[in-house]
């Protein structure tokens, strides 16, 4: 009895979830972390198939998949299943459940930092080149041409990103972020453009959340455009503000969702081929971020034979209208 109590104390003291299932599919062990992460209530002694688990979790728990991932509520879980064999006899399977939500969120934010760093690097390189041109004109006593060149530089900004319509965005963060995304998309043969009906009066104040959600939708759209057969390949972003909320849509030239659920965990084939339109953890994480602010993320049009998919997101509290209102009042 003491041994059992000690084992239970150890299992309940770890952060990872542990579930043991016997060869008949009956749960024999489920620690507190597993109950919490999977939303289980008194699962011991019950068949695993009767617990209402997500398909990916059920497959992992029964040994059908050794390693996988699943979205349960707003948590991103990594699953590791191992068979238990003793003296040549199969005793069942043990499932280890690891919560990787915070790690995934940090990864997304680091990707945002990487994108912005790339944008700054491009700006620095281009700015240095233009300063060399201006210095060369001055050294050649072509002062008037140098003054004209510098005037154009002030009007256009330090770098011209390959994004049609980018000048519609006055917010410096979105301008640089979408410019950097345009460079990345261009490297994959996809043209990123800003929709004509874009109108943003305020400035972004929740840059990390905006970059995570918008960046994920753009990355998915670029992947869909690359995988699609339509030419030319493109992704279009429309940005609007509604009070203190930022609203944006992302559409692409891809083949659409094809009836699949973009929030669903990936199948074996999708795991091998790579994610398209968020099959995995990107969209659930972005949706959780949007809903946490009082907003949401949804599909406007799943697309089909004639058009690609269109996604939309609303992030509450992401816009600061104070500066714009101050300018109007002065």
């Amino acid at each position: 009895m003491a041994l059992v109590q000690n084992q239970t104390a150890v299992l309940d003291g770890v952060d990872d979830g542990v579930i043991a299932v016997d060869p008949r599919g009956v749960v024999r062990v489920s620690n507190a972390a597993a109950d919490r992460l999977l939303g289980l209530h008194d699962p011991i002694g019950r068949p695993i198939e009767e617990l209402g688990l997500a398909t990916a979790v059920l497959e992992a728990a029964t040994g059908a998949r050794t390693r996988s991932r699943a979205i349960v509520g707003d948590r991103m879980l990594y699953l590791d299943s191992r068979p238990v064999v003793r003296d040549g006899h199969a005793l069942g399977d043990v499932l280890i459940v690891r919560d990787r939500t915070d790690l995934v969120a940090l990864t997304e934010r680091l990707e945002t930092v990487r994108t912005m760093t790339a944008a700054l690097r491009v700006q620095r390189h281009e700015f240095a080149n233009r300063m060399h041109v201006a210095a060369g004109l001055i050294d050649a006593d072509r002062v008037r041409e140098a003054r004209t060149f510098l005037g154009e530089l002030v009007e256009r900004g330090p770098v011209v990103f390959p994004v049609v319509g980018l000048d519609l965005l006055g917010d410096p963060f979105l301008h640089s972020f979408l410019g950097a995304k345009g460079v990345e998309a261009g490297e994959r043969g996809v043209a990123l453009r800003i929709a004509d009906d874009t109108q943003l009066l305020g400035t972004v104040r929740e840059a990390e959340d905006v970059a995570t959600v918008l960046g994920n939708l753009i990355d998915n759209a670029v992947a869909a455009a690359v995988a699609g057969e339509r030419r030319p390949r493109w992704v279009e972003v429309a940005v609007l503000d509604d009070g203190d909320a930022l609203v944006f849509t992302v559409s692409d030239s891809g083949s659409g969702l094809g009836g699949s659920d973009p929030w669903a965990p990936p199948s074996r084939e999708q795991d091998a081929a790579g994610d398209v339109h968020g099959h995995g953890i990107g969209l659930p994480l972005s949706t959780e971020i949007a809903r946490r602010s009082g907003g949401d993320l949804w599909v406007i049009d799943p697309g089909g034979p004639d058009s690609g998919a269109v996604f939309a997101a609303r992030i509450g509290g992401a816009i600061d209208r104070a500066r714009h209102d101050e300018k109007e009042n002065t």
Side-chain angles (χ1 to χ4, degrees):
M1 184 66 180
L3 178 60
V4 172
Q5 290 177 340
N6 289 338
Q7 290 178 335
T8 301
V10 170
L11 288 175
D12 286 342
V14 299
D15 293 331
D16 293 342
V18 179
I19 295 181
V21 181
D22 68 16
R24 296 180 301 165
V26 177
V27 177
R28 295 305 179 187
V29 175
S30 181
N31 69 348
D35 293 347
R36 172 176 54 82
L37 294 172
L38 299 176
L40 302 178
H41 177 68
D42 195 21
I44 297 178
R46 298 168 59 188
I48 189 76
E49 295 182 351
E50 297 180 2
L51 299 180
L53 296 172
T55 301
V57 179
L58 186 60
E59 289 180 350
T62 56
R65 301 181 72 176
T66 56
R67 292 185 178 180
S68 59
R69 54 190 179 181
I71 310 300
V72 178
D74 59 354
R75 313 307 295 174
M76 287 60 176
L77 308 180
Y78 279 71
L79 312 172
D80 188 0
S81 177
R82 303 173 185 177
V84 179
V85 180
R86 186 170 185 178
D87 296 330
H89 298 286
L91 303 181
D93 296 277
V94 173
L95 174 64
I96 308 298
V97 183
R98 296 183 174 91
D99 187 356
R100 292 294 182 263
T101 307
D102 293 339
L103 178 61
V104 171
L106 178 59
T107 301
E108 292 286 342
R109 297 188 187 282
L110 288 176
E111 178 64 19
T112 298
V113 172
R114 186 196 66 78
T115 300
M116 294 304 299
T117 300
L120 291 174
R121 187 180 299 112
V122 171
Q123 287 183 333
R124 178 183 177 278
H125 179 74
E126 185 68 15
F127 187 76
N129 288 341
R130 294 185 178 185
M131 289 299 98
H132 284 306
V133 172
L137 291 173
I138 293 173
D139 290 341
D141 290 331
R142 297 163 63 180
V143 178
R144 180 176 298 177
E145 294 178 43
R147 183 177 290 114
T148 301
F149 177 80
L150 291 174
E152 293 176 353
L153 178 61
V154 171
E155 291 181 3
R156 292 198 309 262
V159 65
V160 178
F161 288 111
V163 180
V164 175
L166 189 60
D167 290 340
L168 294 173
L169 291 170
D171 177 75
F173 166 75
L174 279 180
H175 191 280
S176 297
F177 180 73
L178 289 174
K181 284 296 182 184
V183 173
E184 292 181 349
E187 292 174 349
R188 302 185 64 182
V190 179
L192 179 64
R193 67 194 189 208
I194 307 302
D196 293 337
D197 57 354
T198 288
Q199 185 177 31
L200 182 63
L201 300 180
T203 57
V204 173
R205 63 183 177 190
E206 296 294 340
E208 290 186 350
D209 287 350
V210 171
T212 300
V213 178
L214 180 56
N216 181 261
L217 289 182
I218 292 175
D219 290 344
N220 290 343
V222 169
V226 171
E229 298 181 355
R230 295 188 182 92
R231 302 292 185 277
R233 298 186 177 106
W234 55 264
V235 170
E236 183 174 88
V237 178
V239 182
L240 300 167
D241 54 6
D242 181 13
D244 68 350
L246 180 68
V247 182
F248 47 83
T249 64
V250 179
S251 55
D252 61 71
S253 62
S255 302
L257 301 181
S260 65
D261 179 6
W263 280 266
S267 64
R268 289 185 178 89
E269 293 77 12
Q270 289 163 343
D271 266 334
D275 294 347
V276 175
H277 269 310
H279 286 287
I281 56 179
L283 278 182
L285 175 62
S286 298
T287 302
E288 192 274 332
I289 291 174
R291 290 177 177 173
R292 186 177 61 203
S293 70
D296 206 347
L297 190 155
W298 65 98
V299 178
I300 294 180
D301 185 352
D306 300 322
S307 63
V310 182
F311 282 76
R314 177 187 177 93
I315 303 178
I319 296 298
D320 183 2
R321 296 289 297 268
R323 294 182 180 178
H324 178 266
D325 293 341
E326 288 176 2
K327 290 181 179 178
E328 285 192 336
N329 294 331
T330 58

